[in-house]
Amino acid sequence: MKKSIQHIKPDCTDFRSVARALTVIENDLEGADILLKNLFFSKNVPIIGITGPPGAGKSTLVNELIGSLLTMGHKIAVLAIDPTSPFNFGSLLGDRIRMAPHFNHPDVFIRSLATRGSLGGLSAKTIEMADVLRAAGFDYVLIETVGVGQSEVEIVGLADITLLVLVPESGDEIQNIKSGLMEIADAFIVNKADRPDADLFANNLKKIINQKEGDQIPVIKTVASTGNGINEVIQFILSTSHHKNNRKELLLAEKAYKIIQQKRMADVDKKKLRRAIAKALSDPGFNLYSFVDGYGE
């Protein structure tokens, strides 16, 4: 089995090879390290990160972006990061349901991935699987992440272009933007812009994010459910995706950090940890910090 895994060559013209490579990486099957070390990137494949709070319409936006890119003859891969169920540690797969119109298209590959407990919706596995898709030769890789506030900054370690999706009711998100999200967004998408106060929200957003002289981060209003504004988002992606990325060192350092972190935590199994906690709780003198200090010894 090891030999066959080592010789997997993910190719966007053969979705089975891509799916198999992703499964090997996601499940840490034998030969996964060799597969990763032998990835060959024949072309520059932009990774587009789409993030934002729950209910902002990210999946609908991604669905429309896929449709527009397909009309241009592109091959697209999507990693939809689903919240990990705290009960079975699996992906809820909701995003694949919402992207159903493109699920069987020969030029679209969609894969759901559980967050594995990572607060920002990303894990080292996300990085590795995105690199598999890049090596497979897709034209664009779209990553839709769970939106949970400030921890969305994790996407800076993965995406070449980050789109932060908000809605007119996202008043509280302004505080998060001030707290750090502003630094990671290449463009702000005000979705569901047909709702009341959308213009006011977009204008306030522009004032906040473009305070510094020279900063011109675009704020694009969309109604993803009807396709309004999608062309402007596509034009931004096309005009930006093949430019030199001035954050390359930061991106790679963040990727390396995640991968190193995963390797050093490789022997910590969350399910086993839960069982150990359940057993330790039978001790009336249970202390979490003492438990953690002695765990694994």
Side-chain angles (χ1 to χ4, degrees):
M1 185 175 180
K2 184 175 180 179
K3 182 177 180 181
S4 63
I5 288 176
Q6 290 178 11
H7 288 84
I8 292 175
K9 299 292 184 184
D11 185 342
C12 67
T13 63
D14 177 13
F15 282 4
R16 285 184 298 180
S17 71
V18 178
R20 190 176 180 208
L22 291 176
T23 297
V24 168
I25 299 305
E26 183 177 10
N27 296 290
D28 279 324
L29 299 182
E30 188 178 10
D33 282 346
I34 295 175
L35 194 160
L36 287 170
K37 290 174 182 176
N38 284 287
L39 290 178
F40 177 73
F41 305 102
S42 60
K43 63 179 182 179
N44 177 35
V45 180
I47 295 181
I48 315 300
I50 297 96
T51 190
K58 297 185 294 295
S59 294
T60 306
L61 180 71
V62 170
N63 197 53
E64 289 297 316
L65 294 178
I66 293 171
S68 294
L69 290 170
L70 283 174
T71 62
M72 301 175 187
H74 295 303
K75 279 186 172 288
I76 305 114
V78 181
L79 270 185
I81 314 299
D82 286 315
T84 302
S85 166
F87 302 104
N88 61 18
F89 299 97
S91 168
L92 300 181
L93 305 180
D95 291 308
R96 285 206 290 189
I97 295 172
R98 287 188 288 274
M99 296 176 198
H102 300 301
F103 190 64
N104 292 317
H105 195 288
D107 291 328
V108 181
F109 180 90
I110 300 175
R111 177 79 167 233
S112 287
L113 176 66
T115 60
R116 296 170 177 260
S118 178
L119 289 178
L122 299 179
S123 68
K125 287 298 164 199
T126 315
I127 293 170
E128 293 168 355
M129 292 170 74
D131 278 338
V132 167
L133 295 173
R134 287 177 56 231
F138 290 96
D139 296 309
Y140 289 91
V141 176
L142 306 181
I143 314 286
E144 183 197 337
T145 75
V146 178
V148 286
Q150 264 187 275
S151 51
E152 287 161 341
V153 296
E154 289 189 13
I155 200 171
V156 77
L158 177 65
D160 299 300
I161 298 174
T162 299
L163 306 178
L164 177 56
V165 185
L166 301 171
V167 289
E169 296 86 357
S170 300
D172 293 340
E173 293 300 316
I174 298 293
Q175 296 304 317
N176 288 330
I177 293 166
K178 290 180 179 178
S179 302
L181 286 182
M182 181 172 66
E183 284 78 8
I184 62 104
D186 295 295
F188 289 82
I189 311 300
V190 177
N191 193 32
K192 305 182 183 179
D194 54 344
R195 292 185 176 181
D197 297 328
D199 290 339
L200 178 62
F201 178 74
N203 289 333
N204 288 339
L205 198 53
K206 289 177 184 178
K207 292 176 183 177
I208 291 171
I209 64 177
N210 291 318
Q211 286 177 343
K212 297 179 182 178
E213 186 176 352
D215 286 352
Q216 290 298 322
I217 301 174
V219 175
I220 303 172
K221 291 187 292 184
T222 63
V223 183
S225 59
T226 63
N228 289 350
I230 298 300
N231 185 60
E232 191 174 348
V233 179
I234 287 291
Q235 291 306 313
F236 173 77
I237 291 173
L238 295 177
S239 65
T240 308
S241 58
H242 294 290
H243 290 177
K244 181 180 178 181
N245 192 330
N246 294 323
R247 300 184 301 175
K248 189 175 182 64
E249 293 81 4
L250 172 62
L251 288 167
L252 290 176
E254 289 290 328
K255 284 185 179 182
Y257 179 84
K258 279 286 183 185
I259 294 168
I260 292 169
Q261 185 182 51
Q262 174 192 265
K263 289 184 179 296
R264 293 186 178 179
M265 290 287 290
D267 60 340
V268 179
D269 185 303
K270 211 167 184 180
K271 293 181 182 179
K272 290 180 180 178
L273 178 61
R274 180 181 290 181
R275 289 195 292 268
I277 284 281
K279 183 178 179 180
L281 280 173
S282 62
D283 181 355
F286 172 79
N287 179 280
L288 178 63
Y289 300 96
S290 296
F291 171 85
V292 170
D293 193 46
Y295 182 73
E297 294 182 356

